[in-house]
Amino acid sequence: AKSSDTVCLGTPGYAAPEQWGGNGQTDSRTDIYCLCTTLYHLVTGVEPRPSEMRPIRQINPNLSSGLEDIILRCTMLNPQDRYQSCEEVYYALEHYEELEHSYRRMLKNRVRLLGVMSGLCVLMASGAVYGFVMESKTRNSSYDVYLAQAEEYSSADQEKKLEGYRNAVNLNPSDERAYLSLISYLTSDGVYSTEDDIAMSSILYGTTSENTTNESVFKTNPKGYSEFSFEMGNAYFFYYDGSIKTAKTEAKKWFDHVLELGQEEERKTKRAEIYSRIGGYYETLGTVDITGEKDASTYAELWEDLTLLGDNQGSDLGNDVTLLTLYSEILYQIDSNAVGLLKNGISAEVLEEEIDSLLSKAALVESRENTEALLAKVEERGAIAKRTIDTASAYQNAGGISEADTVKSEE
């Protein structure tokens, strides 16, 4: 670290103590001090002098109390007590009105008014605490402010939400919270669309001031990047509305990141491993294999994974939409690879038992607005898979399966 390149220079009053007193190393916080001593002179007309700078409102009571707080913090003698980056100063100056004493009093009065108007005392108390916490975050953490603003905007204000997430990520690309909140928002309607994917990519692969991508900085936080990779894998695997093959192969890429990093608990790691292998089947088996001539060991692994996914997944997933989507995927895989599974030792009876088991589990899910269509899709895929198995089994028993006679339905 630098320790001896600071020399005594600068005009006393405008120069930071570490410049003219030889006390410490100069850095960006030194520039912040110099900026605000100049700002002090501009707004008061009084030349700053060491140890004689008074709060600006003692010189001119008409000046902003918020601006006064900013200048006082920027000109603290100890660099640790100042804003720590130019980005924080920029944000504070843009929002100086929020630091006004009158503004804070207004916020407090609003909280009191809400408390009077509502009988929900506990809820209002929580709201008051939240308001004060947010006020504190506004003063102390620009990242938290940007993130909170993004989360507070409604879905109708998507551009503002995305801008809030982008600002937070640009300020600290290694913090996982904005990325996780963003992917949660983009999948909250049960769909991860191509437009959602473009929005995510524009933020994740955006460039930093050091001309690297946000993702490359994010990777320096392996735990956070692993958690985000798992959620991105889920987004593609369960919610992507593009082609099935793209969805599963992209999901595989993200689940592979989880496995490479080794940061997740055993339950998540096991799911990532199985989902990754299923994504791989779309490459090794193709979306549909009507000949069943692929490697027998691959079909054996596929069947093992499908049955593992079908067993005891409810408590693991904890989400009816995700659970039904998984059942639909298993049924699709059975339907698409029925010929190969039959040719490689999985009997029609075993296949149909698995289908019936999945349909029975799906029937236990309550039909609601967000599950009604998925329940119908599971039932439809179950029926199609059974017909495919009956047809393939009949041809197999007759001595062979003809590609011309086996017609598969694709999404």
Side-chain angles (χ1 to χ4, degrees), residues 266-370:
E266 182 179 358
R267 177 177 62 88
K268 279 189 174 181
T269 300
K270 184 63 177 176
R271 283 169 54 189
E273 182 181 350
I274 294 175
Y275 295 159
S276 174
R277 288 211 299 267
I278 288 180
Y281 297 138
Y282 279 83
E283 298 172 345
T284 58
L285 295 177
T287 304
V288 177
D289 176 25
I290 63 175
T291 67
E293 298 299 334
K294 302 291 185 180
D295 184 1
S297 63
T298 305
Y299 283 107
E301 291 172 357
L302 171 64
W303 181 244
E304 180 182 359
D305 288 339
L306 293 179
T307 52
L308 278 173
L309 283 174
D311 292 339
N312 302 318
Q313 288 295 311
S315 58
D316 247 6
L317 298 175
N319 181 308
D320 287 343
V321 171
T322 304
L323 187 63
L324 291 172
T325 304
L326 178 62
Y327 290 161
S328 179
E329 170 64 23
I330 296 171
L331 292 168
Y332 176 78
Q333 287 289 342
I334 293 173
D335 175 44
S336 299
N337 297 286
V339 174
L341 291 169
L342 287 167
K343 276 194 169 186
N344 289 282
I346 312 300
S347 70
E349 290 76 14
V350 170
L351 293 173
E352 290 184 354
E353 284 177 6
E354 182 66 19
I355 293 171
D356 288 336
S357 174
L358 292 170
L359 293 176
S360 296
K361 291 174 182 177
L364 297 176
V365 175
E366 182 182 354
S367 179
R368 297 189 301 274
E369 183 177 353
N370 65 334

Side-chain angles (χ1 to χ4, degrees), residues 42 55 175 231 286 330 338 374 404:
L42 288 172
D175 193 317
E231 295 306 324
I330 296 171
L374 279 172

Side-chain angles (χ1 to χ4, degrees), residues 40-263:
Y40 177 93
H41 192 174
L42 288 172
V43 300
T44 64
V46 176
E47 184 174 337
R49 297 184 181 278
S51 305
E52 295 181 9
M53 288 178 61
R54 293 180 293 156
I56 62 174
R57 296 176 75 243
Q58 289 185 16
I59 300 171
N60 183 351
N62 294 322
L63 292 173
S64 162
S65 60
L67 182 60
E68 180 179 75
D69 287 347
I70 293 171
I71 292 177
L72 285 173
R73 182 170 176 183
C74 287
T75 55
M76 298 296 287
L77 297 180
N78 186 344
Q80 293 292 335
D81 296 330
R82 303 172 198 158
Y83 289 106
Q84 298 300 295
S85 70
C86 293
E87 288 85 355
E88 289 187 10
V89 178
Y90 179 78
Y91 181 85
L93 288 171
E94 273 198 327
H95 298 80
Y96 76 92
E97 291 180 345
E98 296 176 16
L99 300 177
E100 292 278 359
H101 299 168
S102 59
Y103 180 82
R104 294 202 297 271
R105 284 195 299 271
M106 179 192 69
L107 290 180
K108 293 177 182 179
N109 289 336
R110 285 184 178 178
V111 172
R112 294 191 187 100
L113 179 60
L114 287 173
V116 171
M117 293 175 63
S118 174
L120 302 176
C121 297
V122 174
L123 180 60
M124 289 301 100
S126 300
V129 170
Y130 176 77
F132 287 122
V133 168
M134 290 307 300
E135 178 183 339
S136 175
K137 287 182 177 180
T138 299
R139 291 176 59 87
N140 300 318
S141 175
S142 298
Y143 180 95
D144 288 346
V145 170
Y146 284 135
L147 180 56
Q149 287 175 342
E151 291 174 341
E152 286 173 358
Y153 284 122
S154 69
S155 297
D157 294 320
Q158 179 163 322
E159 289 303 318
K160 291 182 179 179
K161 287 183 78 72
L162 294 179
E163 186 64 23
Y165 287 123
R166 183 175 289 105
N167 288 336
V169 168
N170 289 343
L171 195 59
N172 186 359
S174 66
D175 193 317
E176 72 273 16
R177 290 175 296 158
Y179 300 101
L180 291 172
S181 180
L182 175 57
I183 192 61
S184 175
Y185 159 65
L186 293 176
T187 57
S188 61
D189 59 352
V191 175
Y192 185 60
S193 66
T194 53
E195 291 78 11
D196 293 334
D197 194 39
I198 291 171
M200 172 59 77
S201 297
S202 71
I203 294 176
L204 181 63
Y205 303 120
T207 55
T208 68
S209 56
E210 287 76 28
N211 206 29
T212 60
T213 66
N214 289 325
E215 185 191 33
S216 65
V217 179
F218 189 15
K219 286 181 176 180
T220 63
N221 172 9
K223 177 62 178 174
Y225 187 72
S226 175
E227 186 177 358
F228 172 74
S229 296
F230 188 83
E231 295 306 324
M232 281 297 293
N234 282 336
Y236 276 110
F237 196 94
F238 293 106
Y239 305 123
Y240 189 62
D241 68 352
S243 75
I244 294 178
K245 185 172 183 179
T246 298
K248 299 308 185 289
T249 54
E250 284 295 309
K252 172 179 166 55
K253 179 185 75 174
W254 288 103
F255 287 128
D256 285 347
H257 288 328
V258 175
L259 300 175
E260 291 162 5
L261 292 167
Q263 297 285 322

